[in-house]
Structure formats: C-alpha cells, structure tokens
C-alpha cells in the first residue's frame, strides 16, 4: 500500500544513518511480511534482536515465522525472549 511505501522510505533513511536502529529494523520486517518476503522479514528480525536481544516484538514475530516456513521450529536464543 502507499502508506507502507512511505513508511519503508522513512525506515530506510533511519537505517542509512543508524543501521542498528531496532524499531526501524522491526518495521522493515513487518513491511517485508506484508509484501510476502518471509526471508527478508526473518533477516530484519534477526538483526533487530542482535541490536536489542530483549525486543519482545521482534522475538515473537521471528518465532511465529519460524513455524510458518517449514512447520518445524527454528532455534531462537532464550535470551531473546527474556525481558
């Protein structure tokens, strides 16, 4: 949608200045999910968790995607799920 295109542009600008900006990474992951690009979404959430291992939103979205791809769980660091 047009709103997501605008949002992606803003988040890309944020990431150009701060490539580890957790919120921008998570929102780029959400945009990738909306566009049907599971692999890119997973990569964005993993990078967000590298920046902020306690980001519950990124951890939950990554966990959900880990089941939706193959039906099999993907290992997620337990630390990523802790507050």
């Amino acid at each position: 949608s047009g709103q997501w295109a605008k949002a992606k542009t803003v988040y890309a600008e944020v990431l150009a200045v701060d490539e580890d900006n957790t919120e921008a990474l998570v929102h780029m992951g959400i945009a990738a999910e909306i566009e049907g690009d599971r692999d890119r979404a997973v990569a964005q959430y993993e990078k967000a968790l590298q920046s902020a291992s306690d980001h519950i939103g990124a951890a939950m979205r990554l966990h959900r995607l880990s089941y939706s791809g193959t039906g099999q769980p993907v290992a997620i660091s337990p630390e990523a799920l802790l507050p």
Side-chain angles (χ1 to χ4, degrees):
S1 99
Q3 294 294 0
W4 272 111
K6 290 176 189 175
K8 280 178 47 179
T9 299
V10 170
Y11 294 130
E13 290 171 359
V14 170
L15 291 170
V17 174
D18 177 8
E19 67 183 26
D20 294 324
N21 185 291
T22 306
E23 293 305 316
L25 290 166
V26 169
H27 283 90
M28 288 296 271
I30 293 169
E33 281 191 73
I34 289 170
E35 294 170 348
D37 191 340
R38 181 188 173 280
D39 292 340
R40 188 165 45 96
V42 166
Q44 295 296 320
Y45 298 141
E46 287 176 342
K47 188 167 182 180
L49 288 169
Q50 289 173 359
S51 296
S53 63
D54 62 345
H55 195 288
I56 194 70
M60 288 173 47
R61 288 180 174 281
L62 182 59
H63 181 72
R64 183 179 47 75
L65 286 177
S66 71
Y67 280 94
S68 67
T70 63
Q72 299 297 316
V74 172
I76 297 175
S77 166
E79 293 82 11
L81 300 174
L82 297 176

